[in-house]
Amino acid sequence: MSPNSPRRHPSYRTAAGPRTRRLTVAQALVRFLAAQYTERDGVRHRLIAGTWGIFGHGNVAGLGQALVEHADVMPYHQGRNEQAMVHAAVGFARHRGRLSAQAVTTSIGPGATNLVTGAALATVNRLPVLLLPGDYFATHAADPLLQQLEHPSAADVSVNDTLRPVSRFFDRITRPEALVPSALNAVRVLTDPAETGAVTLALPQDVQVQAHDWPQEFFAERVWRVRRPAPDPAELADAVAAVRSAARPLIVAGGGIHHSAAEDTLKALADATGIPVASTQAGKGALRHDHPADLGGIGHTGTAVSDDLARTADLVIGVGTRYTDFTTASGTLFQNPEVRFVNLNITAFDAHKLAATTLVCDARAGLTALAGALAGHRVDPSYEAEYRAGKERWERVVEAAFAADDDSAVPTQTQVLGALDAVVGDADVVINAAGSLPGDLHRLWRARSPRQYHLEYGYSCMGYEIPAAVGVQQAAPDTPVWALVGDGTYLMMPTEIVTAVQEGLPIKLLLIQNHGYASIGGLSESVGAERFGTAYRHRAADGSFTGAPLPVDLAANAGSLGMDVVRAKTVGELRQALRTARTAQRPTCVYVETDAGTPAAGAVPAAAWWDVPVAEVAAREAAVEARTRYDREVAARRRHL
């Protein structure tokens, strides 16, 4: 069904005549959103499955009243922090394959500006979320009003304009009639596989409550088909020729594989051709970890086997990837002088990166076409034997990092992951976003299913994990969902623990206490900043933070917010705690402390570089040495033209 040929909702009734219905702007928006659906491959999904909200002046009398009045068609979820509500909605949308999403409403002022980080995260990761912040009076009847930012030369500017650069579509609804085209455009962007991200409709509080006679067609059911554009025949022919002429091809699987539900198609291509597959953070799990062609992560946080192959690859086939600096090792990874790129991406902007041969299409459609055109083609057996041997060597590295010989010992961070690896099932979801965990997970985690590995690394936002776990648990009620956080991330945003308790969502929180910012501490040391300001410790007499760890009990904090808490001091206790948490029917926290004296204990070194510029001149020896290393590494960067 075309979006332009709506079907009448079976519960539709008119109140102001045979062709119109009289509602406020807020009520009309809620009714409209409740009637929007997506469809892909013949399966239909409700687009806006619910609305998160924190109410204040600016949305309580408008959207707040509308959500009460139309609770029969729009579920409401109460959040504790506006940024966290967006994270929850993003987690929900990602787990639902971008085919279903959620809305978020806030008051004006800080409620609105708190949306910015979440909006940026959604747009960077190409994940749909609808933002509905309150705004000033469109009539300027009360001017200035509480929390209004006055701009001396532009009376139509409000704090919501901070959402413009991080939204894929933005509008301010200053008259009731403007809602109709704007709402349709908002849904168009939310359902567009190439353009989706955060969508913002700023709603002046006086306009929200204005009544209007709406055409009945506005509330009729609409189904928006999520397209699967096929590859252009000429582009496909060029891509096939490039693959057939390559001796050492390598597929880089990005998040577009998951968004397109193209995992089985990728597997079929790898099975038929023997081309190995390395994955970005967003693409990990595109192949199951034990598939012979799966090499694990690529780039700065990648596996040694992936990065070694990337350095010698003569053809890199990027599928649904944005080629961030972590993937390319800041432009130093693909070192073969003859290397070429074929980029299969639904977004032309990404397909053209690295001067690639482009294949602008849906990932599944493109991979299907490639597989058909490459029938009978297979890489040389010696190449296949080479990467399979490398995969076996890397598996021994994983086993060593996960292993714990002494059950009574305090675990390292990699041993914590090993204990979790032994407990989870194929359907479990593991969520992380920032700190030292993403590197360990990308290198070591054994992804068992397409949606198990849930890393938000496009924006790498501390505080994402717990609210995202809430959203994923809403999307998959019967699935064990794990939020993995360090102490630094936990302190950023633990508030949605209360939401999980209120909603009865049995998320599992694995809280690792390492007394500071472990990832940035290591980075600080490597660039000559000497771990300054990265530890959670008492201030010493000389002003440095070198004293004893702070007497902070994060487990008690999680318990005070309503979670059941299981403390684990040893490897053996940790294994049992994780088993207990996995079967728990309430929100449950497993708290474990790692050795604060050895922050890198058990860590597997990076196999590729990452560019963080180092001071060009300095008096301290650590910075001088770091600059020498930097100059050596940066010399390997190249532009692919």
Side-chain angles (χ1 to χ4, degrees), residues 534-549:
T534 63
Y536 288 170
R537 294 175 178 269
H538 286 286
R539 188 185 292 272
D542 64 358
S544 65
F545 295 93
T546 58

Side-chain angles (χ1 to χ4, degrees), residues 137-174:
F137 282 59
T139 59
H140 294 279
D143 187 38
L145 67 155
L146 179 65
Q147 298 178 323
Q148 180 179 342
L149 173 70
E150 292 184 274
H151 196 291
S153 61
D156 63 341
V157 169
S158 81
V159 295
N160 285 327
D161 288 276
T162 60
L163 289 161
R164 288 182 184 272
V166 293
S167 297
R168 297 296 290 175
F169 179 80
F170 178 99
D171 197 10
R172 179 176 286 112
I173 311 301
T174 56

